[in-house]
Amino acid sequence: MALTHSPVARAWRRWRRPRDLRVPRKPLDVEDANRRFLMYGVLPLWFVPAVADWAMHRRTRIEETSGTRESALHALMMTEAGVPVAMGLLARVNPLVLSVMGGAAVVHGATALWDVSMATDKREVRPVEQHIHSFLEVLPLSALAFTSCLHWEQVRATLRGGDTAEDWKLLPKENPLPARYLAAIGAAIGAFVALPYAEEMTRCVKAARARGAI
């Protein structure tokens, strides 16, 4: 069967057809409250420490110290956080998605440790920056915790190794999140995460070329 004609591909071609998930402005129950806090609290909180961390790197002139190597680790950590975020926003939460979220959180923490271990030998990592790192490290775990509360049956299925074949397929949400919300989050990720760290990498590359390091 051609990949483009597989059940998963067909499901993604229809992903905007079902009715959008209703997220009431005034939470009606605990599930609504958890969903609203995850969408409008936990996820946007990522942007504030991300920009603050970028500002600390700029203040300590990362391009003249740890340079492209540390900046590449920052890009790696953004990817480790961004992939599960994208899956949580677009895909049906099942054992596959929960496993990726959990694995990414563990790998993100290990990469953060690698990053700080390397940075402290090259530039000044002030207590404020270390405190910012604490927020960045805990947010993936917080997102995983709230997602697990909303999909406890899928957590149980994950612990059992999955109940059906669809548990390990990347499928679109049965009721997608509102298009306006997805567009706003996508724009915010671009403005507050992708753009600042792309600027950081550009500075590091230019500085390395000026020194003849690359």
Side-chain angles (χ1 to χ4, degrees):
M1 180 183 296
L3 183 61
T4 56
H5 297 294
S6 69
V8 173
R10 289 198 301 271
W12 279 103
R13 284 198 294 269
R14 300 191 301 268
W15 80 282
R16 290 302 315 178
R17 294 184 186 179
R19 180 178 299 179
D20 285 355
L21 178 68
R22 182 174 176 271
V23 185
R25 296 193 177 191
K26 294 183 179 180
L28 303 177
D29 54 28
V30 174
E31 182 176 341
D32 288 335
N34 280 348
R35 182 174 288 109
R36 283 187 61 81
F37 186 68
L38 179 60
M39 291 171 60
Y40 299 104
V42 174
L43 187 52
L45 279 176
W46 180 28
F47 308 139
V48 177
V51 173
D53 198 35
W54 166 82
M56 294 300 298
H57 302 160
R58 188 179 182 88
R59 183 177 181 181
T60 55
R61 299 187 64 79
I62 185 176
E63 67 272 17
E64 302 296 339
T65 53
S66 50
T68 54
R69 185 179 177 187
E70 186 184 358
S71 187
L73 283 180
H74 298 158
L76 176 60
M77 285 189 287
M78 294 302 152
T79 302
E80 292 165 352
V83 169
V85 164
M87 293 176 72
L89 289 172
L90 302 175
R92 188 180 307 174
V93 176
N94 59 15
L96 171 63
V97 171
L98 289 173
S99 297
V100 171
M101 286 182 173
V106 172
V107 173
H108 181 273
T111 307
L113 179 61
W114 179 16
D115 171 50
V116 174
S117 299
M118 183 189 68
T120 52
D121 291 335
K122 301 291 184 179
R123 64 179 178 87
E124 181 184 9
V125 181
R126 301 181 181 185
V128 172
E129 183 177 347
Q130 295 178 3
H131 195 56
I132 292 169
H133 291 168
S134 298
F135 281 96
L136 289 170
E137 290 168 21
V138 78
L139 283 174
L141 296 173
S142 299
L144 176 61
F146 276 94
T147 302
S148 298
C149 289
L150 288 169
H151 302 277
W152 182 244
E153 287 301 320
Q154 294 302 320
V155 174
R156 295 178 62 185
T158 303
L159 295 176
R160 292 193 295 264
D163 297 328
T164 67
E166 289 193 350
D167 286 344
W168 300 103
K169 293 179 180 178
L170 188 64
L171 298 168
K173 289 186 180 299
E174 295 177 349
N175 296 108
L177 295 176
R180 289 183 180 180
Y181 174 80
L182 293 176
I185 286 294
I189 290 174
F192 299 118
V193 179
L195 186 60
Y197 285 90
E199 186 274 340
E200 175 184 285
M201 177 59 79
T202 300
R203 274 190 292 114
C204 290
V205 170
K206 286 182 178 179
R209 286 177 176 170
R211 295 193 304 267
I214 58 175

